[in-house]
Amino acid sequence: MSEVLIIEEIAATSGDGFIAKVTINRPDKLNALNQEVVGKLKEMCDYIESNDSIRCVVITGAGPNPAPEGKRPKPNSFVAGADITEFAGKNSVEIKEMFTDNAIEKIWNLSKPTIAMVDGFALGGGCEIACSCDLRIASSRAIFGTPEINLGLIPGYGGTQRLVHLVGYGRAMEMMMTGNNLSAEDAYRMGIVNHLCEPEELEKKTMEIAQTIAGKSMHTLRVAKRTIRASLDNGLTKGVEMEAVEFANLFDTEDQEIGVQAFLNRTNAEWKHR
Ligand code: COA
């Protein structure tokens, strides 16, 4: 049986280090998140956090396998949600166990930059994985949605909270109350998607952005991520206070000195990542 999660390490073009490309690989089930995938995603997060050479993470779904003769091909999918077959017959205690300390929260809490590369369906838990990444790059055939309401459910991987921040209260309400899907264009217009491109350009565009990010100081990226994140939990005043502390602290780091000197000397910064 093939691995449900594939991790490839792509060399960063600037400095040493890698971009980790993580592919959820259950294309016959549209990459739906069963417990095996969820477990592997959690392991992947531990691995990425502990591996200092990984500078940026790209999460994607495997493309469809060739269709058997006489069968229609499966559609492209990022992730078509939690595996609904695992819901049948479960009670609240079992579901709480499955959804507590879950993989999507671990992705959200990664200190490193994360990008969702979305081609095809990003529904339910798929939309939530995408929203737990820092950026979303999508192809024109991406479809986003939170169809849980059609199952008598609501999103369970943080979607009710994170979508509000991405698209605003009214649009999040509409998505979650109607369960209607959004085209890639609509998702782009609403701010879910950072960049929209043709399917054949998706990998190139995503890797370009990943490479740009991977070329920065890891230390400064971590500080940037946690300071920007603080805006979601703090009021503006507290957030600006936190920024002032984080900003000043960067002046005690080697990478700040390296960056400023590189600018002044018109050279490229060789980051120490400290
Ligand atoms: N859980 C488990 N299996 C799923 C799945 C999910 N969330 N989404 C798709 N699959 C499986 C289908 O059961 C089917 O399996 P099979 O070929 O063994 O029968 C396979 O993936 C292909 O899906 P299919 O429904 O045949 O493709 P389609 O092109 O007709 O429709 C979707 C695509 C995405 C519209 C449809 O699969 C769908 O609505 N999926 C569920 C989305 C959802 O509600 N997600 C939130 C869950 S909380």
Side-chain angles (χ1 to χ4, degrees), residues 72-83:
R72 83 181 158 104
K74 306 269 177 191
N76 282 79
S77 184
F78 173 69
V79 169
D83 190 318

Side-chain angles (χ1 to χ4, degrees), residues 28-30 32 72 74-75 80-85 87 121 123-125 147-148 151 153:
D28 289 346
K29 299 292 177 188
L30 311 192
R72 83 181 158 104
K74 306 269 177 191
D83 190 318
I84 300 168
T85 62
F87 285 176
F121 290 109
L123 301 180
E148 290 88 344
L151 302 168
L153 290 170

Side-chain angles (χ1 to χ4, degrees), residues 26 93 120 122 156 196 222 245 257:
R26 286 186 83 208
V93 176
L196 192 56
R222 278 202 175 94
V245 173
E257 262 182 68

